PDB file of all heavy atoms in Angstrom:
ATOM      1  N   ALA A  33      31.093  38.477  20.274  1.00 97.00           N
ATOM      2  CA  ALA A  33      31.228  38.081  18.874  1.00 97.00           C
ATOM      3  C   ALA A  33      30.662  36.670  18.691  1.00 97.00           C
ATOM      4  O   ALA A  33      30.627  35.877  19.634  1.00 97.00           O
ATOM      5  CB  ALA A  33      32.688  38.135  18.440  1.00 97.00           C
ATOM      6  N   PRO A  34      30.202  36.323  17.490  1.00 98.00           N
ATOM      7  CA  PRO A  34      29.541  35.033  17.296  1.00 98.00           C
ATOM      8  C   PRO A  34      30.446  33.807  17.270  1.00 98.00           C
ATOM      9  O   PRO A  34      29.992  32.711  17.610  1.00 98.00           O
ATOM     10  CB  PRO A  34      28.834  35.205  15.951  1.00 98.00           C
ATOM     11  CG  PRO A  34      29.645  36.223  15.229  1.00 98.00           C
ATOM     12  CD  PRO A  34      30.126  37.177  16.278  1.00 98.00           C
ATOM     13  N   LEU A  35      31.700  33.950  16.852  1.00 98.00           N
ATOM     14  CA  LEU A  35      32.538  32.767  16.681  1.00 98.00           C
ATOM     15  C   LEU A  35      32.734  31.981  17.973  1.00 98.00           C
ATOM     16  O   LEU A  35      32.641  30.744  17.958  1.00 98.00           O
ATOM     17  CB  LEU A  35      33.881  33.151  16.061  1.00 98.00           C
ATOM     18  CG  LEU A  35      34.808  31.982  15.725  1.00 98.00           C
ATOM     19  CD1 LEU A  35      34.137  30.988  14.793  1.00 98.00           C
ATOM     20  CD2 LEU A  35      36.100  32.510  15.088  1.00 98.00           C
ATOM     21  N   PRO A  36      33.013  32.620  19.123  1.00 98.00           N
ATOM     22  CA  PRO A  36      33.140  31.828  20.359  1.00 98.00           C
ATOM     23  C   PRO A  36      31.865  31.065  20.706  1.00 98.00           C
ATOM     24  O   PRO A  36      31.932  29.920  21.183  1.00 98.00           O
ATOM     25  CB  PRO A  36      33.475  32.881  21.418  1.00 98.00           C
ATOM     26  CG  PRO A  36      34.115  33.997  20.654  1.00 98.00           C
ATOM     27  CD  PRO A  36      33.375  34.038  19.353  1.00 98.00           C
ATOM     28  N   LEU A  37      30.707  31.682  20.468  1.00 98.00           N
ATOM     29  CA  LEU A  37      29.448  30.987  20.756  1.00 98.00           C
ATOM     30  C   LEU A  37      29.232  29.836  19.782  1.00 98.00           C
ATOM     31  O   LEU A  37      28.782  28.754  20.181  1.00 98.00           O
ATOM     32  CB  LEU A  37      28.275  31.971  20.684  1.00 98.00           C
ATOM     33  CG  LEU A  37      26.904  31.402  21.045  1.00 98.00           C
ATOM     34  CD1 LEU A  37      26.899  30.774  22.435  1.00 98.00           C
ATOM     35  CD2 LEU A  37      25.833  32.492  20.941  1.00 98.00           C
ATOM     36  N   PHE A  38      29.574  30.042  18.512  1.00 98.00           N
ATOM     37  CA  PHE A  38      29.469  28.952  17.545  1.00 98.00           C
ATOM     38  C   PHE A  38      30.351  27.784  17.963  1.00 98.00           C
ATOM     39  O   PHE A  38      29.926  26.623  17.919  1.00 98.00           O
ATOM     40  CB  PHE A  38      29.871  29.419  16.149  1.00 98.00           C
ATOM     41  CG  PHE A  38      29.846  28.317  15.124  1.00 98.00           C
ATOM     42  CD1 PHE A  38      28.671  27.958  14.507  1.00 98.00           C
ATOM     43  CD2 PHE A  38      31.008  27.624  14.812  1.00 98.00           C
ATOM     44  CE1 PHE A  38      28.638  26.913  13.579  1.00 98.00           C
ATOM     45  CE2 PHE A  38      30.982  26.583  13.890  1.00 98.00           C
ATOM     46  CZ  PHE A  38      29.798  26.231  13.265  1.00 98.00           C
ATOM     47  N   THR A  39      31.575  28.077  18.379  1.00 98.00           N
ATOM     48  CA  THR A  39      32.492  27.017  18.811  1.00 98.00           C
ATOM     49  C   THR A  39      31.929  26.267  20.008  1.00 98.00           C
ATOM     50  O   THR A  39      31.995  25.024  20.076  1.00 98.00           O
ATOM     51  CB  THR A  39      33.862  27.626  19.167  1.00 98.00           C
ATOM     52  OG1 THR A  39      34.382  28.321  18.031  1.00 98.00           O
ATOM     53  CG2 THR A  39      34.846  26.552  19.586  1.00 98.00           C
ATOM     54  N   GLU A  40      31.352  27.000  20.948  1.00 98.00           N
ATOM     55  CA  GLU A  40      30.752  26.377  22.133  1.00 98.00           C
ATOM     56  C   GLU A  40      29.578  25.479  21.745  1.00 98.00           C
ATOM     57  O   GLU A  40      29.467  24.340  22.217  1.00 98.00           O
ATOM     58  CB  GLU A  40      30.274  27.466  23.091  1.00 98.00           C
ATOM     59  CG  GLU A  40      29.560  26.955  24.328  1.00 98.00           C
ATOM     60  CD  GLU A  40      28.968  28.082  25.150  1.00 98.00           C
ATOM     61  OE1 GLU A  40      29.550  29.191  25.155  1.00 98.00           O
ATOM     62  OE2 GLU A  40      27.906  27.862  25.781  1.00 98.00           O
ATOM     63  N   TRP A  41      28.714  25.977  20.888  1.00 98.00           N
ATOM     64  CA  TRP A  41      27.555  25.187  20.472  1.00 98.00           C
ATOM     65  C   TRP A  41      27.977  23.979  19.636  1.00 98.00           C
ATOM     66  O   TRP A  41      27.386  22.904  19.757  1.00 98.00           O
ATOM     67  CB  TRP A  41      26.590  26.072  19.676  1.00 98.00           C
ATOM     68  CG  TRP A  41      25.658  26.860  20.552  1.00 98.00           C
ATOM     69  CD1 TRP A  41      25.903  27.319  21.811  1.00 98.00           C
ATOM     70  CD2 TRP A  41      24.340  27.297  20.219  1.00 98.00           C
ATOM     71  NE1 TRP A  41      24.824  28.021  22.277  1.00 98.00           N
ATOM     72  CE2 TRP A  41      23.851  28.022  21.326  1.00 98.00           C
ATOM     73  CE3 TRP A  41      23.534  27.161  19.093  1.00 98.00           C
ATOM     74  CZ2 TRP A  41      22.560  28.585  21.321  1.00 98.00           C
ATOM     75  CZ3 TRP A  41      22.264  27.736  19.092  1.00 98.00           C
ATOM     76  CH2 TRP A  41      21.788  28.429  20.192  1.00 98.00           C
ATOM     77  N   PHE A  42      28.973  24.146  18.787  1.00 98.00           N
ATOM     78  CA  PHE A  42      29.447  23.023  17.980  1.00 98.00           C
ATOM     79  C   PHE A  42      30.004  21.927  18.886  1.00 98.00           C
ATOM     80  O   PHE A  42      29.699  20.737  18.708  1.00 98.00           O
ATOM     81  CB  PHE A  42      30.515  23.493  16.995  1.00 98.00           C
ATOM     82  CG  PHE A  42      30.985  22.416  16.055  1.00 98.00           C
ATOM     83  CD1 PHE A  42      30.277  22.132  14.904  1.00 98.00           C
ATOM     84  CD2 PHE A  42      32.123  21.677  16.334  1.00 98.00           C
ATOM     85  CE1 PHE A  42      30.690  21.127  14.039  1.00 98.00           C
ATOM     86  CE2 PHE A  42      32.545  20.673  15.478  1.00 98.00           C
ATOM     87  CZ  PHE A  42      31.828  20.399  14.322  1.00 98.00           C
ATOM     88  N   ALA A  43      30.814  22.308  19.874  1.00 98.00           N
ATOM     89  CA  ALA A  43      31.380  21.332  20.803  1.00 98.00           C
ATOM     90  C   ALA A  43      30.276  20.624  21.583  1.00 98.00           C
ATOM     91  O   ALA A  43      30.352  19.409  21.839  1.00 98.00           O
ATOM     92  CB  ALA A  43      32.352  22.017  21.759  1.00 98.00           C
ATOM     93  N   ALA A  44      29.228  21.367  21.950  1.00 98.00           N
ATOM     94  CA  ALA A  44      28.116  20.761  22.679  1.00 98.00           C
ATOM     95  C   ALA A  44      27.380  19.747  21.805  1.00 98.00           C
ATOM     96  O   ALA A  44      26.949  18.684  22.295  1.00 98.00           O
ATOM     97  CB  ALA A  44      27.154  21.844  23.155  1.00 98.00           C
ATOM     98  N   ALA A  45      27.224  20.049  20.515  1.00 98.00           N
ATOM     99  CA  ALA A  45      26.569  19.115  19.602  1.00 98.00           C
ATOM    100  C   ALA A  45      27.382  17.834  19.448  1.00 98.00           C
ATOM    101  O   ALA A  45      26.831  16.726  19.439  1.00 98.00           O
ATOM    102  CB  ALA A  45      26.354  19.777  18.239  1.00 98.00           C
ATOM    103  N   VAL A  46      28.701  17.976  19.361  1.00 98.00           N
ATOM    104  CA  VAL A  46      29.572  16.802  19.285  1.00 98.00           C
ATOM    105  C   VAL A  46      29.438  15.968  20.560  1.00 98.00           C
ATOM    106  O   VAL A  46      29.273  14.734  20.515  1.00 98.00           O
ATOM    107  CB  VAL A  46      31.033  17.227  19.065  1.00 98.00           C
ATOM    108  CG1 VAL A  46      31.961  16.015  19.167  1.00 98.00           C
ATOM    109  CG2 VAL A  46      31.198  17.907  17.704  1.00 98.00           C
ATOM    110  N   ALA A  47      29.496  16.623  21.712  1.00 98.00           N
ATOM    111  CA  ALA A  47      29.415  15.919  22.995  1.00 98.00           C
ATOM    112  C   ALA A  47      28.070  15.230  23.178  1.00 98.00           C
ATOM    113  O   ALA A  47      27.983  14.185  23.829  1.00 98.00           O
ATOM    114  CB  ALA A  47      29.666  16.906  24.138  1.00 98.00           C
TER     115      ALA A  47
END
Side-chain angles (χ1 to χ4, degrees):
L35 185 57
L37 183 56
F38 177 83
T39 302
E40 177 187 329
W41 276 30
F42 184 84
V46 173

